[in-house]
């Protein structure tokens, strides 16, 4: 029987995974990538370290996918996190598991993940074509190939892995979504997920560039806590960013219609009693100093002016005459430094896209498009997204594997 001739459009995580697996299953694969190199976005994920998956079981994985988790049941059960980890280990990339079961290459180099995927593709004979696909070739409701600047090119099947709208400079500019829309496939409007947050509080700009580590970060919606995490964040000229902030953003699904606020515990290792004892100790040490000069051991320098303002304690007041009530206000600030949340940053600053091709348009077992024959979809362009922690790359790998397996098992007309 003749090989299935496959076009994979997009050379990111899903595209490389789909191309390599389809080739390893006996297909003749051509991968189209419009950038001049493969895995451009993958190379910058996880601050260049690449959080490839989460070392958890399938039920826990699905709990970390807030959008259309049910759609992914078949794909992630067929190709779970354990399979992803085994794959990269077998490709010569040793892995390690860190806090929150996040899985990284031991080397901490995302490029090792990209190179492993490239080697896997080359071993299967994938033909890399650094060309921009302009549209799909669709006749009578069946995808027959792709159209590039050179003209039409016929394929038995096409797998679209073009990503969403986040990080457009890496190539994720919505091409594949446009191809689908042109052919009557329903698209759920896209918005950013895992995205920095705008705040109207002036203190953010005052402290821009300041990174806080080992803090507790809580988000409240109309006064009720909806997200809580420990980690790192940063103040910017527009508001807040950093790992815990990006994670929190995925939980704020109604940011335009609800009142959200961020609450930072600057000393999570100390309860109020222990922190009060620490304050009294520092105040005894600086007893004859002005209050504005007594916080150096407790706070980063950039934060002190903001604290002075928010505490409403006279900066020139001697430490030894600060009242119990004033100290209580200070304690509250340390344990609950609040920042208003106004809106998300633009989608091109988001790590991933929420929205995309409606899951109602796709067979969840095979990733086949229901409206257009011989067309398959994988990765971020589907309306499925997870929290931070390796869940989104796992989605890319599982859906890519499902599509590759399906095309390899299909007999073309």
């Amino acid at each position: 029987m003749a090989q299935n001739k496959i076009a994979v459009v997009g050379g990111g995580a899903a595209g490389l995974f789909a191309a390599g697996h389809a080739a390893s299953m006996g297909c003749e694969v051509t991968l189209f990538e419009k950038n001049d190199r493969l895995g451009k976005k993958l190379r910058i994920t996880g601050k260049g370290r690449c959080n490839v998956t989460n070392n958890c079981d399938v039920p826990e994985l699905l709990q970390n996918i807030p959008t259309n988790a049910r759609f992914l049941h078949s794909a992630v059960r067929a190709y779970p996190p354990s399979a992803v980890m085994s794959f990269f280990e077998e490709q010569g990339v040793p892995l390690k598991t860190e806090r929150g079961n996040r899985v990284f290459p031991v080397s901490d180099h995302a490029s090792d993940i990209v190179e492993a995927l490239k080697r896997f593709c080359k071993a299967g004979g994938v033909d890399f074509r650094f060309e921009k696909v302009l549209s799909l070739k669709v006749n009578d409701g069946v995808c027959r190939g792709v159209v590039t600047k050179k003209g039409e090119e016929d394929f038995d099947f096409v797998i679209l892995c073009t990503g969403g709208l986040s990080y457009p400079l890496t190539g994720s500019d919505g091409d594949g979504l446009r191809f689908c829309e042109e052919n009557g496939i329903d698209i759920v409007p896209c918005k950013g997920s895992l995205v920095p947050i705008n705040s109207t509080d002036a203190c953010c700009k005052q402290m821009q560039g300041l990174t806080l580590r080992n803090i507790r970060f809580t988000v409240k919606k109309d006064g009720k806590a909806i997200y809580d995490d420990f980690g790192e964040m940063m103040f910017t000229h527009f508001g807040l960013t950093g790992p815990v902030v990006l994670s929190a953003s995925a939980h704020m699904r109604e940011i335009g219609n609800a009142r959200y606020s961020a609450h930072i515990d600057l000393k999570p290792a100390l309860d109020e009693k222990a922190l009060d004892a620490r304050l009294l100790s520092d105040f005894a040490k600086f007893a004859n100093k002005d209050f504005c000069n007594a916080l150096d051991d407790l706070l980063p320098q950039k934060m002190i002016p903001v604290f002075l303002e928010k505490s409403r304690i006279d900066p020139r007041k001697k430490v030894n005459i600060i009242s119990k009530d004033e100290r209580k206000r200070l304690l509250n600030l340390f344990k609950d430094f609040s920042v208003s949340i106004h809106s998300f940053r633009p989608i091109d600053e988001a790590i991933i896209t929420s929205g995309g091709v409606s899951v109602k348009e796709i067979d969840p077992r095979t990733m086949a498009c229901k409206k257009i024959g011989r067309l398959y979809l994988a990765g971020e362009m589907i309306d499925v997204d997870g929290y931070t922690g390796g869940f989104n790359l796992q989605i890319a790998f599982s859906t890519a594997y499902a599509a590759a397996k399906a095309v390899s098992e299909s007999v073309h007309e």
Side-chain angles (χ1 to χ4, degrees), residues 225-338:
I226 61 160
Y227 175 81
D228 189 82
D229 197 8
F230 290 86
E232 181 180 316
M233 59 158 289
M234 186 173 77
F235 293 99
T236 71
H237 66 285
F238 58 76
L240 308 173
T241 191
V244 294
V245 176
L246 298 177
S247 294
S249 72
H251 296 255
M252 290 181 264
R253 299 277 158 171
E254 305 167 63
I255 197 158
N257 305 312
R259 287 172 294 180
Y260 290 97
S261 55
H263 301 263
I264 305 160
D265 183 346
L266 295 159
K267 305 291 179 184
L270 302 175
D271 60 21
E272 284 205 14
K273 187 177 179 181
L275 182 56
D276 193 32
R278 169 70 193 274
L279 276 176
L280 286 169
S281 171
D282 275 37
F283 283 4
K285 179 181 173 182
F286 300 117
N288 298 313
K289 287 196 171 187
D290 292 344
F291 174 57
C292 62
N293 296 320
L295 297 172
D296 289 2
D297 291 353
L298 285 162
L299 289 167
Q301 204 63 39
K302 265 191 174 180
M303 207 166 198
I304 292 175
V306 173
F307 245 68
L308 294 173
E309 185 181 338
K310 285 183 176 285
S311 71
R312 305 190 313 279
I313 301 171
D314 181 354
R316 293 300 168 189
K317 190 171 189 175
K318 295 299 179 186
V319 171
N320 56 12
I321 58 171
I322 285 178
S323 69
K324 188 176 181 180
D325 283 347
E326 288 173 326
R327 201 171 76 245
K328 178 69 174 172
R329 288 207 301 271
L330 200 57
L331 271 174
N332 289 340
L333 264 182
F334 274 106
K335 299 300 286 183
D336 186 5
F337 186 93
S338 63

Side-chain angles (χ1 to χ4, degrees), residues 55-72:
N55 191 359
C56 66
D57 59 19
V58 170
E60 187 179 345
L61 169 68
L62 294 171
Q63 286 170 12
N64 282 277
I65 297 166
T67 307
N68 297 318
R70 182 178 293 180
F71 170 81
L72 287 170

Side-chain angles (χ1 to χ4, degrees), residues 18-33:
H21 277 96
S24 74
M25 295 170 188
C27 297
E28 181 186 332
V29 182
T30 302
L31 186 149
F32 291 88
E33 169 54 53

